């Protein structure tokens, strides 16, 4: 078949079922065209066909015969939109960026031809990009980039990218695990259980097969990996998987905790249960399918007595309510994927991971290798949000198949697999009672959190409430309700968004009953001086000062506030290596950049410390063979890598003396992270983490418009104040906080995993049925950084990736209450629930 590709004629043979995306990626090596959803919903696969955009994951290859195809590579890297995306930081992980760039370039060209340099409205930009999704939520930068390109601001001149890897991402050159093709590589496919609970007997197959079962050979949720097979092409691998025969003895499915059947009947099976949270597992007793309570109480008996006494009185300052949150899927744009190969006894992995060193250590332990025998490469990673910190089924399948076939094997999950088995934030039911005394002080509260984590344990939503609003007596209890559903795992600030959904709405209700300003009440209860600065700033905002009675009418506006705090985590073992190579300082560290800006942080620290131009510093990361680096988890990356980079730069400057870089070829130093001046609270038994002293903080003020006829909630403005100290790379940090707001909006309004009630089978297995926010759902977002209060920390800054998203949903709930007089208790705030609540 002949067609034009980026201006050059090509002739390639295609199979009848092949798509344009597969031909471009597998035949032509143009991996800038990504495949994320496979159903034409997300836009990552967008190309131009005769100048018009098309979803190449759905377009049959035969349909483009004798036509002109332009991919992101064909834009040349100098299109005004590409320059604008780099300048305005219109990206994070970058996996969706090529599709956005192609669509935005086509829109900009059309707009400029019809309108000159007039600026399109937000609505016009949103309409043009409606077929594209960014899980990182980089929409604010995308709006700004497209508007600037349409105004002609980036037609010429020098562009300084906001992050160091921007050029590779906007041109499609950035290589992700799903893009890796090695000589002789096979494609692997995982065979999954159709049953929620069964004992697996014989497995029959006419070739090499890797079993993926636990030792007791019991599958505990529909979609659990059973085995894996490989073949030269994915089509052949799928056909091979269809030939695998599995003998199942079906067991009764536990879809409610009070079922007679026990999911984990033995002590050994309980020890192997997956974890829904980070850190050590709190001790708790088991009672059938309920584990708990795990407690973190303070004067719990006093708390219960005070609340019981208030119930016997008039109860004017006692607020009691039950809140629920739905299961939320991580659904990273780049799915889980691994390319594995064995080479002279060493294991080499290309891997989509947010924990290079942690997974390398796990792989060495699992396959009984020395640490130096495991080599991981994660050059670019398309998001993680907590779902990619361990050896997962894609890794096990690829490694075992590679050993069986003595060849490289690639295993990449499909979107349905990602939505079933790629990770979820547990759903939670929280029962909360909160009591204020006669003077308006916090007297006591009790919180019972019941986690819906499927087969996972370790729900910890209530646990975090111990660190909010002083030391008033409180009884805090967490329970796991184990069922035969897919496992919950940590998700960006695990436990805190559902806990704050309950706590911050209840605090608001106390303020309303007392007739007190909700910000003023929080400021009185909250002793943290850093958050005091945020409260003061929030209370002075025009949107807050202008709060009025929303009155009647179809469209009602409301303004809500919520606050959050988060522990300060770090990895004290972090090291950065600096080497002078051809007049350039090369920084190397075994960490990863999942879109959070780690490359830019290191580059900026080294450049500033040594007084260099940006082009004189290069950052290489994503390889386990480099100096030890942290996982991208618990907001520990920046407070670990930045001080280590600064220390290394100071050592290099001292070693250079009076020499220039050109005179110091090969000079090498290693700098570790200095110890905090006030020490650490305690070692944290996960991946070398430590808990530092102090809490980061956030205050979020959200304005919403509620359509009382259709039941829709639309956030219009969000102010996000973040207290995390020094900001090393301002634009990527702001971008991350804006994305945190967008993810919080998704949690509040859209995201909900749906299951078959009879089998627990996940029904929301595509990105139409599982809805995440698009660009049109993005309000105006104003991020404010409070940078004081962290002088005891090397570099004076801590992480902000978690804190920026935690309180968003609660602020929306409080805004809906202000707009309608009805308080939502269940997430997401669906239109049917809202209409029922307001009585229409």
């Amino acid at each position: 078949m002949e067609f034009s590709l980026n201006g050059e004629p090509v002739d390639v043979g295609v199979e009848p079922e092949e798509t344009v995306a597969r031909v471009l990626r597998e035949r032509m090596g143009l991996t800038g065209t990504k495949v994320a959803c496979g159903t034409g919903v997300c836009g990552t696969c967008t190309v131009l066909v005769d100048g018009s955009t098309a979803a190449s994951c759905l377009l049959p290859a035969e349909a483009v015969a004798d036509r002109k195809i332009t991919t992101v590579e064909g834009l040349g890297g100098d299109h005004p939109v590409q320059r604008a995306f780099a300048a305005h930081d219109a990206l994070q992980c970058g996996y969706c960026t090529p599709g956005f760039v192609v669509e935005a370039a086509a829109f900009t060209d059309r707009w400029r031809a019809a309108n000159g340099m007039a600026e399109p409205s937000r609505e016009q930009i949103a309409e043009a990009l409606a077929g594209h999704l960014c899980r990182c939520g980089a929409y604010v930068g995308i709006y700004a980039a497209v508007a600037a390109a349409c105004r002609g601001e980036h037609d010429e001149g020098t562009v300084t990218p906001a992050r160091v890897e921007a050029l590779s991402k906007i041109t499609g050159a950035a290589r992700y695990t799903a893009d890796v093709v090695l000589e002789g590589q096979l494609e692997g496919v995982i065979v999954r259980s159709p049953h929620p609970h069964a004992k697996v007997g014989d497995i029959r197959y006419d070739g090499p097969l890797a079993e993926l079962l636990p030792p007791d050979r019991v599958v505990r949720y529909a979609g659990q990996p059973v085995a894996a097979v490989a073949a030269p092409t994915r089509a052949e691998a799928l056909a091979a998987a269809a030939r695998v025969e599995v003998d199942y003895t079906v067991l009764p499915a536990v879809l409610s905790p009070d079922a007679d059947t026990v999911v984990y009947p033995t002590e050994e099976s309980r020890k192997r249960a997956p974890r829904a949270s980070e850190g050590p597992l709190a001790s708790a007793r088991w009672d059938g399918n309920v584990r708990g309570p795990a407690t973190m109480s303070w004067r719990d008996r006093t708390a219960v007595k005070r609340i019981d006494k208030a119930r016997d009185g008039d109860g004017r300052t006692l607020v009691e309510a039950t809140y629920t949150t739905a299961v939320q899927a991580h659904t990273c744009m780049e799915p889980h994927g691994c390319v594995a190969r064995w080479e002279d006894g060493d294991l080499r992995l290309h891997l989509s991971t947010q924990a290079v060193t942690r997974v390398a250590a796990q792989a060495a332990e699992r396959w009984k290798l020395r640490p130096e025998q495991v080599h991981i490469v994660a050059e670019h990673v398309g998001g993680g949000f907590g779902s990619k910190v361990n050896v997962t089924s894609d890794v096990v399948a690829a490694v075992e198949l590679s050993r069986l076939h003595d060849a490289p094997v690639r295993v990449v999950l499909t979107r349905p697999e990602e939505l079933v088995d790629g990770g979820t934030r547990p759903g939670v039911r929280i029962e909360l009672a909160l009591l204020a005394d006669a003077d308006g002080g916090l007297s006591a509260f009790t919180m019972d959190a019941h986690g819906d984590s499927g087969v996972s344990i370790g729900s910890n939503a209530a646990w975090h409430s111990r660190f909010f609003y002083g030391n008033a007596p409180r009884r805090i209890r967490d329970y796991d309700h184990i069922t035969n559903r897919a496992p919950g795992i940590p998700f960006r600030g695990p436990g805190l968004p559902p806990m704050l959904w309950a706590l911050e709405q209840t605090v608001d209700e106390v303020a309303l009953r007392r007739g007190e300003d909700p910000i003023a009440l929080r400021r009185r209860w909250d002793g943290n001086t850093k958050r005091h600065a945020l409260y003061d700033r929030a209370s002075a905002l025009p949107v807050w000062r202008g709060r009025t009675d929303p009155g009647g009418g179809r469209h009602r506006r409301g303004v809500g506030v919520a606050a959050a705090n988060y522990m300060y985590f770090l990895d004290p073992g972090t090291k950065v290596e600096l080497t002078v190579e051809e007049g350039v300082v090369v920084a190397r560290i075994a960490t990863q950049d999942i879109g959070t800006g780690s490359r830019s942080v290191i580059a900026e620290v080294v450049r500033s410390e040594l007084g260099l131009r940006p082009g004189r510093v290069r950052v290489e990361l994503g390889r386990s063979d480099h100096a030890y680096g942290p996982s991208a988890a618990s907001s520990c990356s920046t407070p670990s890598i930045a001080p280590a980079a600064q220390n290394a730069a100071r050592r290099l400057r001292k070693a250079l003396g009076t020499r220039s870089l050109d005179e110091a070829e090969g000079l090498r130093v290693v700098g570790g992270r200095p110890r905090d001046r006030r020490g650490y609270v305690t070692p944290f038994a996960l991946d070398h983490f430590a808990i530092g002293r102090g809490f980061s903080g956030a205050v979020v003020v959200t304005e919403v418009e509620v359509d009382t006829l259709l039941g829709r909630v639309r956030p219009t403005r969000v102010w996000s104040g973040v207290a995390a100290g020094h900001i090393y790379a301002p634009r990527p940090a702001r971008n991350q906080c804006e994305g945190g707001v967008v993810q919080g909006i998704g949690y509040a309004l859209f995201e909900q995993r749906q299951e078959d009630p009879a089998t627990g089978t996940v029904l929301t297995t595509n990105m139409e049925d599982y809805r995440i926010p698009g660009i049109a759902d993005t309000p105006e977002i104003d991020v404010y950084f409070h940078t004081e209060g962290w002088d005891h920390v090397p570099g004076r800054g801590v992480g902000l990736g978690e804190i920026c998203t935690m309180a968003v949903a609660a602020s929306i709930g409080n805004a809906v209450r202000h707009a309608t007089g009805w308080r939502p208790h269940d997430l997401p705030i669906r239109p049917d629930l809202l209409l029922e609540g307001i009585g229409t």
Side-chain angles (χ1 to χ4, degrees):
M1 183 186 72
E2 296 181 357
F3 62 96
S4 172
L5 178 58
N6 295 331
E8 299 291 334
V10 298
D11 187 354
V12 60
V14 299
E15 299 295 330
E17 71 280 3
E18 279 192 301
T19 64
V20 170
R22 183 167 295 277
V23 170
L24 292 174
R25 291 177 56 81
E26 305 297 336
R27 305 287 189 85
M28 313 307 298
L30 296 177
T31 57
T33 301
K34 308 298 183 190
V35 176
C37 71
T39 54
V41 176
C42 71
T44 62
C45 66
T46 300
V47 299
L48 297 178
V49 180
D50 295 336
S52 299
T53 56
S56 65
C57 74
L58 294 180
L59 187 63
E62 293 176 329
V64 299
D66 301 321
R67 303 178 74 178
K68 296 179 180 179
I69 305 297
T70 304
T71 69
V72 68
E73 293 91 345
L75 295 179
D78 203 38
H79 190 284
V81 159
Q82 291 175 301
R83 296 158 64 88
F85 267 57
H88 293 272
D89 200 34
L91 62 143
Q92 287 189 35
C93 80
Y95 201 76
C96 68
T97 301
F100 268 104
V101 165
V102 172
E103 189 77 64
F107 169 72
T108 299
D109 291 345
R110 294 194 307 271
W111 179 266
R112 294 279 293 273
N115 302 282
M117 293 187 181
E119 180 178 332
S121 67
R122 282 174 62 93
E123 291 75 19
Q124 288 168 319
I125 295 172
E127 182 180 359
L129 302 179
H132 293 258
L133 296 172
C134 173
R135 187 50 161 161
C136 300
Y139 297 124
V140 172
I142 293 171
Y143 269 127
V146 175
C150 288
R151 292 193 304 266
E153 291 185 5
H154 298 286
D155 289 355
E156 56 187 22
T158 302
V159 172
T160 301
R163 64 180 68 213
V164 297
E165 77 276 16
L167 183 63
S168 65
K169 289 179 176 178
I170 62 175
T171 61
R175 191 166 77 153
Y176 299 78
T177 297
D179 303 330
V180 173
V181 178
L182 305 178
E183 185 177 354
Q185 179 173 296
L186 304 178
E187 296 293 328
V189 169
I190 296 175
V191 177
R192 297 178 179 274
S193 170
H195 307 290
H197 200 191
K199 180 83 170 182
V200 177
D202 292 339
I203 302 176
R204 294 175 295 279
Y205 176 62
D206 56 2
L209 176 142
E211 288 196 9
L212 305 178
L213 292 165
D216 60 6
R217 301 182 69 82
V218 174
V219 291
R220 290 182 167 86
Y221 60 95
Q224 180 171 336
V226 173
V229 296
T233 68
R234 179 163 180 82
E236 291 174 291
L238 288 170
R243 297 197 303 273
V244 176
E245 297 179 359
V246 183
D247 289 338
Y248 294 100
T249 300
V250 177
L251 304 174
V254 176
L255 299 176
S256 64
D258 55 358
D260 292 334
T261 302
V262 177
V263 176
Y264 294 116
T266 67
E267 183 67 22
E268 189 60 32
S269 64
R270 292 172 181 174
K271 289 179 180 179
R272 293 194 305 271
R275 304 291 174 82
S277 60
E278 297 172 333
L281 184 67
S283 61
R285 67 178 183 270
W286 289 75
D287 182 9
N289 292 314
V290 178
R291 182 183 179 275
T295 63
M296 186 66 172
S297 300
W298 168 251
R299 299 175 61 196
D300 56 333
R301 293 181 180 177
T302 300
V304 172
K305 287 180 180 178
R306 290 180 179 178
I307 288 172
D308 285 345
K309 183 177 179 181
R311 288 193 183 107
D312 296 335
D314 59 21
R316 285 185 302 169
T317 55
L318 174 64
V319 179
E320 297 186 85
T322 298
Y323 299 86
T324 69
T325 63
V327 174
Q328 181 187 25
H330 295 68
T331 193
C332 312
M333 295 308 291
E334 182 195 18
H336 286 70
C338 177
V339 179
R341 77 181 191 275
W342 291 90
E343 185 177 276
D344 298 328
D346 285 9
L347 177 58
R348 300 186 180 274
L349 305 175
H350 289 269
L351 184 60
S352 182
T353 181
Q354 58 190 94
V356 167
T357 53
R358 172 178 167 83
V359 172
Q362 289 179 347
E365 180 179 2
R366 182 181 184 105
W367 284 285
K368 297 179 173 54
L369 301 170
R370 300 186 306 277
E372 62 271 20
Q373 289 181 282
V374 178
H375 313 273
I376 291 180
V377 176
E379 184 179 358
H380 293 281
V381 180
F385 315 116
S387 68
K388 298 177 179 177
V389 297
N390 292 306
V391 169
T392 44
S393 60
D394 53 302
V395 182
V396 178
V399 171
E400 294 295 346
L401 289 170
S402 177
R403 182 169 10 216
L404 288 169
H405 289 271
D406 192 24
V409 175
R410 177 173 64 181
V411 176
V412 177
L413 301 192
T414 63
R415 188 55 48 180
E417 288 178 299
E418 191 72 24
L419 285 164
V420 171
D421 205 26
T424 57
R425 185 194 300 279
V428 183
R429 185 182 83 255
I430 292 179
E431 299 159 356
L432 177 59
L434 190 148
L435 176 67
D437 60 27
D439 296 326
L442 177 58
S443 178
F445 73 81
T446 62
M447 180 182 290
D448 286 352
H450 302 268
D452 173 15
S453 306
V455 296
S456 292
I457 61 174
S459 180
N460 66 347
W463 184 89
H464 292 282
S465 68
R466 174 64 182 88
F467 307 106
F468 281 75
Y469 297 123
N471 283 310
R474 57 198 67 190
R475 187 191 69 189
I476 300 165
R477 302 189 298 192
D478 277 298
Y479 296 85
D480 293 310
H481 294 262
I482 297 96
T483 60
N484 288 125
R485 292 184 173 89
I489 61 175
F491 190 152
R492 201 171 188 178
L496 278 142
M499 187 277 288
L500 291 170
W501 170 247
L503 179 63
E504 285 298 286
Q505 287 208 87
T506 306
V507 170
D508 230 58
E509 193 63 33
V510 170
L512 291 174
R513 294 189 185 185
R514 288 183 47 79
E516 185 173 358
D517 181 288
I519 292 180
L521 177 69
R522 287 175 170 83
R523 196 184 191 285
R524 285 197 299 105
W525 286 8
D526 189 341
N528 187 286
T529 57
K530 295 186 286 293
R531 282 191 297 282
H532 280 187
L534 297 179
Y535 292 132
D536 293 344
R537 195 154 188 117
S539 64
L541 292 171
V543 70
W544 185 259
R545 294 175 63 186
R547 285 195 349 151
T548 59
D549 184 344
R554 172 179 172 179
H555 295 98
R556 304 177 192 175
R557 288 184 177 263
V559 181
V561 67
N565 68 11
Y566 192 56
M567 287 181 172
Y568 150 45
F569 293 99
L570 67 146
D571 190 331
T574 300
K575 295 178 174 62
V576 172
E577 174 193 292
L578 299 181
T579 307
V580 179
E581 298 178 5
E582 298 181 350
V584 173
V585 177
V586 181
R588 295 185 173 94
I589 178 174
T591 191
Q592 55 290 308
D593 193 333
I594 63 173
T596 53
S598 295
R599 285 183 177 88
S600 299
V601 167
I602 294 170
E604 178 59 23
V605 168
V606 173
R607 185 199 66 78
S608 299
E609 192 67 32
L610 297 176
L612 300 174
R613 300 191 310 275
R616 301 295 295 274
V617 178
R618 186 171 79 246
V619 180
E620 297 181 2
L621 44 71
R623 292 179 179 269
S624 60
D625 296 335
H626 290 163
Y628 174 84
S631 302
S634 300
S635 293
C636 85
S637 288
T638 294
S640 301
I641 62 177
Q646 185 178 55
N647 187 21
R650 290 173 177 173
R651 291 180 176 223
L652 180 61
R653 186 175 61 208
K654 182 177 180 180
L656 281 169
T658 60
R659 291 179 293 172
S660 69
L661 293 179
D662 294 329
E663 298 170 322
E665 181 69 18
L667 181 62
R668 174 184 173 275
V669 300
V670 176
R673 186 195 187 280
R675 186 174 176 82
D676 286 15
R677 287 204 295 271
R678 287 165 51 189
Y680 308 131
V681 175
T682 179
F684 196 49
L686 172 65
D687 198 19
H688 305 281
F689 283 3
I691 303 175
R693 297 189 180 277
F695 288 81
S696 60
V699 174
V700 180
V701 177
T702 300
E703 178 188 64
V704 302
E705 179 186 82
V706 179
D707 184 334
T708 59
L709 178 63
L710 300 179
R712 293 175 180 168
V713 178
R714 182 174 70 91
T716 55
R717 286 185 288 177
V718 176
W719 181 86
S720 176
V722 175
H726 175 64
I727 304 299
Y728 293 95
R731 188 61 194 98
R734 189 172 301 276
N735 191 342
Q736 192 173 16
C737 291
E738 292 160 352
V741 169
V742 171
Q743 283 198 357
I745 290 171
Y747 188 51
L749 300 178
F750 309 128
E751 299 187 44
Q752 183 174 19
R753 188 180 72 181
Q754 299 283 0
E755 302 154 342
D756 183 331
T759 66
T761 300
V762 176
L763 302 176
T764 45
T765 56
N766 60 70
M767 297 189 78
E768 282 187 298
D769 294 333
Y770 188 86
R771 165 115 149 75
I772 67 173
I775 191 168
D777 302 308
T778 304
E780 296 178 10
I781 301 174
D782 180 16
V783 176
Y784 168 75
F785 293 123
H786 178 70
T787 58
E788 299 176 4
W790 295 97
D791 292 342
H792 62 288
V793 174
R796 298 178 293 105
V798 300
L800 48 71
E802 263 86 9
I803 191 65
C804 64
T805 195
M806 294 172 177
V808 175
S811 74
I812 292 173
N814 287 330
V816 169
R817 169 66 173 84
H818 178 233
T820 66
W822 168 76
R823 182 168 299 285
H825 288 84
D826 305 302
L827 282 185
I829 309 172
R830 299 196 319 256
D832 60 316
L833 297 178
L834 190 147
L835 292 175
E836 180 183 357
I838 64 176
T840 61

Short mmCIF file of all heavy atoms in Angstrom, two decimals, residues 509-518:
data_model
loop_
_atom_site.label_atom_id
_atom_site.label_comp_id
_atom_site.label_asym_id
_atom_site.label_seq_id
_atom_site.Cartn_x
_atom_site.Cartn_y
_atom_site.Cartn_z
N GLU A 509 -20.09 22.37 58.49
CA GLU A 509 -21.43 22.34 59.07
C GLU A 509 -21.44 22.94 60.47
O GLU A 509 -22.40 23.63 60.87
CB GLU A 509 -21.97 20.91 59.08
CG GLU A 509 -23.45 20.80 59.35
CD GLU A 509 -24.31 21.47 58.30
OE1 GLU A 509 -23.93 21.49 57.10
OE2 GLU A 509 -25.38 22.00 58.67
N VAL A 510 -20.39 22.68 61.24
CA VAL A 510 -20.29 23.29 62.57
C VAL A 510 -20.26 24.81 62.44
O VAL A 510 -20.94 25.54 63.18
CB VAL A 510 -19.03 22.78 63.30
CG1 VAL A 510 -18.78 23.59 64.58
CG2 VAL A 510 -19.16 21.31 63.64
N ALA A 511 -19.46 25.31 61.49
CA ALA A 511 -19.39 26.77 61.29
C ALA A 511 -20.75 27.34 60.92
O ALA A 511 -21.15 28.40 61.43
CB ALA A 511 -18.36 27.08 60.20
N LEU A 512 -21.49 26.65 60.06
CA LEU A 512 -22.81 27.13 59.66
C LEU A 512 -23.76 27.17 60.85
O LEU A 512 -24.53 28.13 61.02
CB LEU A 512 -23.37 26.25 58.55
CG LEU A 512 -22.67 26.34 57.19
CD1 LEU A 512 -23.24 25.29 56.23
CD2 LEU A 512 -22.83 27.72 56.59
N ARG A 513 -23.74 26.14 61.67
CA ARG A 513 -24.64 26.10 62.82
C ARG A 513 -24.30 27.18 63.83
O ARG A 513 -25.19 27.70 64.53
CB ARG A 513 -24.60 24.72 63.48
CG ARG A 513 -25.17 23.62 62.60
CD ARG A 513 -25.31 22.33 63.37
NE ARG A 513 -25.74 21.23 62.50
CZ ARG A 513 -26.03 20.01 62.94
NH1 ARG A 513 -25.92 19.72 64.24
NH2 ARG A 513 -26.39 19.06 62.09
N ARG A 514 -23.02 27.53 63.90
CA ARG A 514 -22.60 28.58 64.84
C ARG A 514 -22.74 29.97 64.23
O ARG A 514 -22.55 30.97 64.92
CB ARG A 514 -21.15 28.36 65.25
CG ARG A 514 -20.93 27.19 66.19
CD ARG A 514 -19.45 27.10 66.60
NE ARG A 514 -18.90 28.40 66.99
CZ ARG A 514 -19.09 28.98 68.18
NH1 ARG A 514 -19.83 28.37 69.10
NH2 ARG A 514 -18.56 30.16 68.45
N GLY A 515 -23.01 30.04 62.93
CA GLY A 515 -23.06 31.34 62.28
C GLY A 515 -21.69 31.97 62.16
O GLY A 515 -21.56 33.21 62.16
N GLU A 516 -20.67 31.15 62.01
CA GLU A 516 -19.28 31.64 61.97
C GLU A 516 -18.69 31.42 60.59
O GLU A 516 -19.04 30.47 59.88
CB GLU A 516 -18.45 30.89 63.02
CG GLU A 516 -17.02 31.41 63.15
CD GLU A 516 -16.27 30.77 64.31
OE1 GLU A 516 -16.88 29.95 65.03
OE2 GLU A 516 -15.08 31.09 64.49
N ASP A 517 -17.80 32.32 60.20
CA ASP A 517 -17.11 32.18 58.93
C ASP A 517 -16.32 30.86 58.92
O ASP A 517 -15.54 30.61 59.84
CB ASP A 517 -16.15 33.36 58.73
CG ASP A 517 -15.42 33.30 57.41
OD1 ASP A 517 -14.52 32.44 57.27
OD2 ASP A 517 -15.73 34.11 56.52
N PRO A 518 -16.51 30.00 57.90
CA PRO A 518 -15.82 28.70 57.89
C PRO A 518 -14.30 28.81 57.90
O PRO A 518 -13.64 27.93 58.47
CB PRO A 518 -16.32 28.05 56.60
CG PRO A 518 -17.65 28.68 56.35
CD PRO A 518 -17.50 30.10 56.81
#
